[in-house]
Amino acid sequence: MIELLQGFLLLAGSFFMLIAALGIVRLPDLLTRMHASTKGASLGVMLLMAGVALHFLEEVVFARTIAITFFVLMTAPVAAHAIGRAGYFVGIELWKGTVKDELRPNYNPLSHRLHSGLKKTARGQEAGKSHAHDSHKGED
């Protein structure tokens, strides 16, 4: 029974890795390719590592598979975000079917800086917001 489960996990993990690889090759732009590679590869690694842990059934191997899975799940989204942001900043073409570009109004292509869109007042506070201690001044 364990052989059947480990075989299923290894095949499912390999399938998701294959889908991620096909997504990298077939999708139209950097951002959608990164989405496919990050999601598919992360799920594929989780399933493969579960199959490896079931195959060996040792505490050391189980601890290593947990560490590998945790490492991939923590680093893949961060790396994808950094690569996507760098790609956007250097001016990659978005797919013509892209519905919404939320960075465009907040990105200055000359300085390569993002701003939040919130206006700052002379005192450095966000416009339209007051802090609790500011509203009670003079009431002491």
Side-chain angles (χ1 to χ4, degrees):
M1 183 66 183
I2 288 183
E3 291 88 12
L4 187 64
L5 181 59
Q6 92 186 27
F8 173 76
L9 289 171
L10 292 173
L11 285 174
S14 300
F15 174 75
F16 279 104
M17 295 289 245
L18 176 67
I19 295 299
L22 288 174
I24 292 171
V25 173
R26 300 280 302 167
L27 290 173
D29 68 346
L30 173 71
L31 301 177
T32 55
R33 288 178 187 153
M34 285 183 0
H35 178 78
S37 66
T38 303
K39 304 293 182 191
S42 295
L43 183 57
V45 166
M46 285 191 328
L47 294 171
L48 286 173
M49 289 297 109
V52 167
L54 276 179
H55 177 73
F56 289 104
L57 290 176
E58 294 178 9
E59 293 173 3
V60 173
V61 174
F62 182 75
R64 288 181 181 170
T65 59
I66 293 294
I68 291 168
T69 302
F70 181 75
F71 178 76
V72 169
L73 289 178
M74 292 294 111
T75 59
V78 174
H81 175 80
I83 293 169
R85 187 171 172 158
Y88 189 87
F89 287 173
V90 297
I92 61 152
E93 288 279 330
L94 294 179
W95 177 46
K96 63 183 174 207
T98 300
V99 176
K100 190 172 188 179
D101 182 4
E102 294 181 358
L103 285 180
R104 178 166 287 149
N106 298 319
Y107 173 62
N108 182 350
L110 299 175
S111 67
H112 296 293
R113 292 186 184 256
L114 286 173
H115 59 84
S116 66
L118 296 174
K119 302 289 184 197
K120 299 283 184 177
T121 63
R123 292 174 45 196
Q125 297 173 347
E126 296 174 2
K129 294 190 176 188
S130 63
H131 298 287
H133 62 77
D134 289 342
S135 62
H136 298 293
K137 284 186 179 180
E139 295 180 4
D140 294 339

